[in-house]
Amino acid sequence: QRLGLPPTGSGSAAGFGRRVTALSIDWLACLAVAHAMTTGASDRSMLNLELFFAQVSVLTALTGSSFGQRIVGITVRRVDGGRLNVARSIVRTALVCLAVPALIWDRDGRGLHDQVV
């Protein structure tokens, strides 16, 4: 309500379950690509993070949502309703990759990674 968003339905803030589902879809998709590209498990973990970072950053900047977010119907927007530019998308995704900023929320349900950008 403080952000001017409807409490439910289209345009409302996404709940925790949808956010985790979108993150899981993105992570697993990148894991599948990393698995196809490498032979050793040690190579895979860092490549998976790099693919995740690239996929989420690029798709969020270009379309307003990552692959997983698109599937569950989440869009990343600025508070004024506009899309994130490339630089903000990169910073936001880097903070998501650090995990801790994404796990700290305000009373509106916005993670620290969203508040920073």
Side-chain angles (χ1 to χ4, degrees):
Q1 185 178 15
R2 290 180 333 122
L3 298 174
L5 301 175
T8 59
S10 181
S12 65
F16 181 74
R18 287 176 53 201
R19 292 177 192 201
V20 169
T21 301
L23 180 69
S24 298
I25 291 169
D26 286 331
W27 191 260
L28 291 173
C30 292
L31 186 61
V33 172
H35 184 71
M37 293 174 64
T38 60
T39 56
S42 62
D43 299 334
R44 226 174 270 142
S45 61
M46 192 61 185
L47 178 61
N48 190 48
L49 183 61
E50 292 166 354
L51 289 169
F52 177 83
F53 177 81
Q55 183 260 131
V56 174
S57 295
V58 170
L59 290 179
T60 300
L62 294 177
T63 67
S65 58
S66 68
F67 176 68
Q69 290 169 333
R70 174 80 36 156
I71 289 172
V72 299
I74 295 175
T75 303
V76 179
R77 294 184 287 165
R78 296 189 323 244
V79 175
D80 66 7
R83 281 198 183 149
L84 297 182
N85 61 27
V86 175
R88 288 177 187 246
S89 178
I90 289 170
V91 169
R92 181 184 183 278
T93 305
L95 291 170
V96 169
C97 289
L98 292 175
V100 172
L103 297 173
I104 300 172
W105 305 308
D106 66 6
R107 62 182 177 182
D108 297 318
R110 292 174 58 216
L112 183 59
H113 63 294
D114 286 330
Q115 294 174 40
V116 168
V117 297

